[in-house]
C-alpha cells in the first residue's frame, strides 16, 4: 500500500471536515427520496400483482364451481346413456375443460371423458392411490401443478362428491386449459406499463406477455423476489432490485397465488403459482438519480475550494515536521548523534525536544543491549557444554513441536544426524509407543501448556521409541518452563535409555516363569501324596506325627501359592494374563466371598461385616475367578493386620457408571512413606507390619494388575495406628 505524506493527510483532513457534513445530508436526502419512490413502486407493483392474482383465482374458482354444477346435474340423470350425452355436451360447450372424470368413493372411475380421446368401459381405472384422489378425500378440493403438453398449459382440479347425508361419495376431477393466463398477464402488463408474468413452484415461466419466454420454459427461480417464496417460504410482498434476463435493472415484487375456497372454514388452497410484477429501475428511481447528480456537483465544488485553502496553510504547518522526519531518518540509519532544532513555540517544538531526549536514551539503551547480548551468548555456550555432558538424550521443541535443540546423547540414541532432527516436527522423526504397541499422541507425551506452568508434564517408564535408524526402550520425562511460551519453547524431553535393563528384566521373567513351571509339578505331587497318606494313615499316627505332617501340608500350600503368584506376575508382565468377562451380580458375589472367609475372622475374634447397599443388585462385567482373587487377598490382608477384637467393614459406593468396593479395617495402618510403593512387586512394609506376616509382596501387585485389566482403579487411604481402607472400582452394566 503506497504511503501518504503528512501534507496530503492534512489536505484530506480539511477535505473531510468540509465534505462529510454535505455528504451526510445528501445521503440522507437521497435515502428518504429513494424510500418514498420505492413505496410508490411497491404500491404500484403490489396492485398489479394482486390484479393478476385475483383474475387467476377467479378463473380457477369458477372452474371449481362448474365441477359442482356437473355434480348436481349428473346425480339426477338415471341412465348411462343420458350421463354420457350430458358429459359430451359439457365438454363441447366448455372449451376450458379438456378432460373430466367422475369417481366413486373407492376411487373407481364411473365415467371418463376427454375432448380428444374416447374412453371405453374397459379403459376406466381405479385412481384411489392417485395423489389427486387422496387429496380430495382428505381436504375436499385439489389443485394440481401446472404442466405443458404440446406447448399448451394445463392444470388439474377436483372436488368431493357428497351424498344426501353430506358424506363423501366420490370425486370429480377435471383438466382445464389455462391459456387464459397468457391473455391476463398480457392485458395487465400493457395497461400498467409493467412487466407481468406467472411462474410455477419451480420458477418456470408459465404465462408471459412474450409468448417465446413461455415456450422456452425459462426458469426465473434465481430472481430474489421469487427465491424468497420458493426456497425460503417468505410471503412478504417487499420490493427487490435485480437484473432481469434482458440485462436490465428492474424493481420486482412476487405474490403467491392462493385460493380461499370456503369463507366459512377459511380453507386456503395453494395453486403453486406465483405472480410477478416488474418495473424498470431507471423509470422508478429517476428522481433519485437527479438528486444524486446535483449532490455530486456540489461535492466537487467544495473539494476544489478546500484544496485551494489547504495548499496555502500546509507549508506553514508541515515544514517543522519535515525537519523532525529527516532527523529520525538519520537516527534510523545509526547516527545516534542526530538532533533537531525547532522554535515554533507550539506542540511541534515539544515534539522536537522529546525526539532529542529519545535519541539520547536510545544511545544509552543500545550500549546496554550490546552488553546483554554478549552475556546471553556466554550463557548459551555454557548451556551447550552442560547438555553435551548429560548422558541422557535431551530434545527441546517449540510451541509447534518443531525440534529446536538436541544434545550429543540424543544424536547417539536416535542414530540420526543433527540436520535430520533440527527444524523438523518431532512426530516426523520420532514415534513413541506404549507397552501394547499403541502410538502415544504427541499431545499426550509432550503437552504444551500456556498457563505459566513450570514442572513435569509427562513421566512414564519403558516406552518404545522408534526412529528411522533404530528402536530402543526409554523412560520419558517431559517438562516445561513458565517462560517457554514467551521464548517459543514448548517443552523439554529427556529420554533415559533402558533397553538393556528391559532385556534383562525380560530374561528374569522368563527364568521365573520357567522355574515356577518346573516347581509346580513336583509340588502338586507332594501335595497329592501327602493328602493320600493323611487319609489312609491318620488314625494310626500319634499327635506329634499328625502335627508334623500338617505343617508340611501348610508349607506345601504356601509354596504352591508362591509359585502361582510368580506365574501370575510373569503373565502380567508379558501381557499374557487374560480375562473371561461375564455379567456378575456384584452384591451377591461379595456376600459369597465374605461367607467363605468369615471363619478366618472369627478364629481371630475379628468382626467381619458387609453393609448391605440400597440396591439389592448391582451388575458388573468381570472375570469372577480373578476379581474374587483380588477381593479375597484384600480381606485376608485385613484379617492378618487387624488385632483380635478389631473390626473389618465392607461396603459399596455407587458413583456414576462405577461401583466402588471399600474394605476398611481397624488394624495398625500403613506408614506414609510406604504408600507410594504398596502396589509394586515384592514390596513389604518394614517394622511392626512386617512381623505380622510372611508374605511375598506380590498379592497387592497382582490385585492392582487384575483391577486395571478390568479398566478399574485401586487405591488405599491409611493412617498409622488407626487402620486402612483399600478401595477399587469396577464399571457397572445395565444388563
Amino acid at each position: 500500500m503506497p504511503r501518504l505524506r503528512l501534507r496530503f493527510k492534512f489536505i484530506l483532513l480539511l477535505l473531510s471536515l468540509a465534505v462529510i457534513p454535505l455528504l451526510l445530508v445528501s445521503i440522507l436526502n437521497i435515502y428518504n427520496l429513494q424510500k418514498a419512490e420505492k413505496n410508490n413502486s411497491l404500491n404500484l407493483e403490489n396492485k398489479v400483482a394482486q390484479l393478476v392474482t385475483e383474475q387467476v383465482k377467479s378463473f380457477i374458482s369458477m372452474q371449481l364451481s362448474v365441477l359442482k354444477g356437473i355434480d348436481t346435474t349428473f346425480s339426477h340423470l338415471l341412465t348411462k346413456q343420458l350421463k354420457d350425452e350430458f358429459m359430451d355436451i359439457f365438454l363441447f360447450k366448455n372449451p376450458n375443460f379438456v378432460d373430466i372424470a367422475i369417481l366413486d368413493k373407492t376411487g373407481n372411475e364411473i365415467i371418463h371423458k376427454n375432448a380428444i380421446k374416447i374412453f371405453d368401459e374397459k379403459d376406466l381405472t381405479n385412481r384411489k392411490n392417485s395423489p389427486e384422489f387422496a387429496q380430495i378425500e382428505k381436504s375436499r378440493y385439489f389443485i394440481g401443478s401446472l404442466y405443458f403438453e404440446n406447448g399448451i398449459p394445463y392444470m388439474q382440479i377436483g372436488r368431493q362428491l357428497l351424498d344426501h347425508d353430506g358424506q363423501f361419495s366420490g370425486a370429480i376431477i377435471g383438466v382445464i386449459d389455462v391459456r387464459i393466463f397468457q391473455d391476463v398477464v398480457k392485458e395487465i402488463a400493457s395497461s400498467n406499463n409493467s412487466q407481468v408474468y406467472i411462474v410455477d413452484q419451480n420458477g418456470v415461466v408459465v404465462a408471459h406477455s412474450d409468448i417465446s419466454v413461455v415456450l422456452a420454459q425459462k426458469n426465473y427461480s434465481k430472481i430474489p423476489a421469487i427465491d424468497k417464496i420458493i426456497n425460503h417460504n417468505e410471503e412478504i410482498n417487499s420490493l427487490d432490485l435485480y437484473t432481469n434476463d434482458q440485462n436490465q435493472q428492474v424493481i420486482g415484487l412476487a405474490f403467491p397465488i392462493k385460493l380461499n375456497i370456503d369463507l366459512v372454514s377459511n380453507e386456503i388452497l395453494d395453486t403453486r403459482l406465483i405472480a410477478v410484477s416488474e418495473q424498470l429501475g431507471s423509470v422508478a428511481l429517476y428522481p433519485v438519480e437527479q438528486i444524486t447528480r446535483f449532490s455530486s456537483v456540489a461535492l466537487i465544488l467544495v473539494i476544489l475550494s478546500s484544496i485551494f485553502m489547504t495548499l496555502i496553510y500546509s507549508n506553514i504547518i508541515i515544514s517543522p515536521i519535515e525537519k523532525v522526519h529527516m532527523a529520525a531518518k538519520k537516527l534510523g540509519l545509526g547516527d545516534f548523534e542526530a538532533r533537531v532544532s525547532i522554535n515554533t513555540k507550539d506542540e511541534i517544538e515539544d515534539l522536537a525536544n522529546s525526539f532529542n531526549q529519545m535519541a539520547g536514551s536510545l544511545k544509552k539503551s543500545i550500549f546496554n543491549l550490546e552488553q546483554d547480548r554478549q552475556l546471553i551468548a556466554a550463557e548459551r555456550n555454557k548451556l551447550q557444554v552442560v547438555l553435551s555432558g548429560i548422558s541422557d538424550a535431551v530434545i527441546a521443541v517449540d510451541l509447534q513441536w518443531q525440534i529446536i535443540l538436541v544434545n550429543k546423547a540424543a544424536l547417539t540414541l536416535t542414530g540420526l544426524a543433527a540436520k535430520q532432527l533440527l527444524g523438523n516436527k518431532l512426530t516426523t522423526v520420532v514415534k513413541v509407543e506404549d507397552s501394547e504397541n499403541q502410538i502415544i499422541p504427541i499431545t499426550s507425551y509432550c503437552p504444551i501448556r500456556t498457563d505459566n506452568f513450570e514442572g513435569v508434564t509427562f513421566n512414564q517408564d519403558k516406552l518404545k521409541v522408534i526412529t528411522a535408524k533404530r528402536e530402543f526402550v526409554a523412560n520419558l520425562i517431559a517438562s516445561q518452563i513458565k517462560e517457554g511460551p514467551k521464548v517459543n519453547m514448548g517443552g523439554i524431553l529427556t529420554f533415559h535409555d533402558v533397553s538393556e535393563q528391559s532385556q534383562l528384566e525380560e530374561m528374569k521373567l522368563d527364568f521365573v516363569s520357567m522355574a515356577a513351571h518346573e516347581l509346580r509339578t513336583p509340588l502338586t505331587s507332594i501335595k497329592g501324596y501327602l493328602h493320600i497318606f493323611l487319609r489312609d494313615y491318620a488314625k494310626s499316627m500319634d499327635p506329634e506325627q499328625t502335627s508334623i505332617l500338617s505343617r508340611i501340608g501348610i508349607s506345601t500350600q504356601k509354596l504352591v501359592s508362591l509359585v502361582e503368584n510368580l506365574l501370575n506376575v510373569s503373565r502380567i508382565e508379558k501381557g499374557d494374563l487374560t480375562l473371561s468377562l461375564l455379567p456378575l451380580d456384584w452384591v451377591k458375589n461379595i456376600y459369597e466371598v465374605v461367607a467363605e472367609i468369615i471363619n478366618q475372622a472369627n478364629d481371630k475374634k475379628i468382626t467381619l461385616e458387609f453393609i448391605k447397599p440400597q440396591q439389592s443388585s448391582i451388575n458388573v462385567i468381570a472375570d469372577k475367578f480373578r476379581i474374587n482373587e483380588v477381593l479375597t487377598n484384600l480381606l485376608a490382608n485385613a484379617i492378618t493386620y487387624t488385632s483380635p477384637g478389631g473390626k473389618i467393614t465392607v461396603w459399596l459406593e455407587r458413583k456414576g457408571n462405577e461401583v466402588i468396593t471399600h474394605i476398611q479395617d481397624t488394624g495398625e495402618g500403613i506408614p506414609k512413606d510406604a504408600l507410594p510403593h504398596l502396589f509394586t512387586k515384592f514390596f513389604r512394609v518394614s517394622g511392626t507390619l512386617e512381623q505380622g506376616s510372611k508374605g511375598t509382596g506380590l498379592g497387592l501387585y497382582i490385585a492392582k494388575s487384575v483391577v486395571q485389566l478390568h479398566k478399574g482403579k485401586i487405591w488405599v487411604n491409611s493412617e498409622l495406628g488407626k487402620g486402612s481402607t483399600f478401595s477399587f472400582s469396577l464399571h457397572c452394566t445395565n444388563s
Side-chain angles (χ1 to χ4, degrees), residues 6 31 46 77 110 169 177 206 225 310 350 404 433 527 548 576 586 599 601 606 640 728:
L6 187 59
Y31 171 77
N46 195 10
L77 299 175
I110 300 171
S169 63
D177 183 342
V206 298
T310 303
D350 294 340
I404 56 176
E433 295 182 352
K527 186 178 177 182
I548 292 171
D576 294 336
W586 189 236
N599 289 333
I606 296 171
T640 300
F728 65 93

Side-chain angles (χ1 to χ4, degrees), residues 222-377:
K222 298 298 183 184
I223 288 177
I226 298 173
D227 177 68
K228 286 180 182 178
I229 296 175
I230 294 176
N231 296 321
H232 304 287
N233 203 23
E234 296 181 19
E235 297 188 5
I236 301 172
N237 53 341
S238 58
L239 283 176
D240 288 286
L241 181 65
Y242 53 88
T243 303
N244 63 11
D245 60 333
Q246 297 175 4
N247 205 27
Q248 297 173 324
Q249 284 285 321
V250 296
I251 292 178
L253 177 143
F255 211 87
I257 301 175
K258 295 186 177 182
L259 210 62
N260 189 347
I261 199 66
D262 190 336
L263 297 177
V264 177
S265 63
N266 199 28
E267 183 177 353
I268 304 296
L269 293 180
D270 190 357
T271 66
R272 302 178 184 83
L273 299 176
I274 302 169
V276 185
S277 176
E278 296 176 345
Q279 188 178 25
L280 287 175
S282 59
V283 174
L285 301 177
Y286 178 74
V288 179
E289 293 179 359
Q290 290 294 99
I291 292 295
T292 304
R293 291 193 188 97
F294 175 78
S295 300
S296 300
V297 172
L299 282 173
I300 291 172
L301 292 176
V302 171
I303 291 171
L304 292 175
S305 60
S306 299
I307 291 174
F308 176 74
M309 296 302 296
T310 303
L311 289 174
I312 295 175
Y313 291 103
S314 62
N315 282 331
I316 299 172
I317 298 173
I318 301 303
S319 294
I321 298 176
E322 286 287 346
K323 290 182 179 180
V324 176
H325 171 248
M326 293 306 297
K329 210 169 185 181
K330 291 179 180 179
L331 187 66
L333 294 173
D335 183 3
F336 297 108
E337 302 296 333
R339 301 292 185 271
V340 61
S341 177
I342 294 175
N343 187 20
T344 58
K345 307 298 181 183
D346 57 15
E347 288 81 357
I348 298 178
E349 183 178 343
D350 294 340
L351 176 65
N353 293 335
S354 298
F355 172 82
N356 293 334
Q357 292 176 4
M358 180 196 69
S361 299
L362 188 61
K363 181 180 179 181
K364 185 177 180 180
S365 298
I366 292 295
F367 176 77
N368 292 335
L369 284 173
E370 180 61 26
Q371 287 186 322
D372 291 342
R373 188 189 68 80
Q374 293 175 0
L375 181 62
I376 291 170

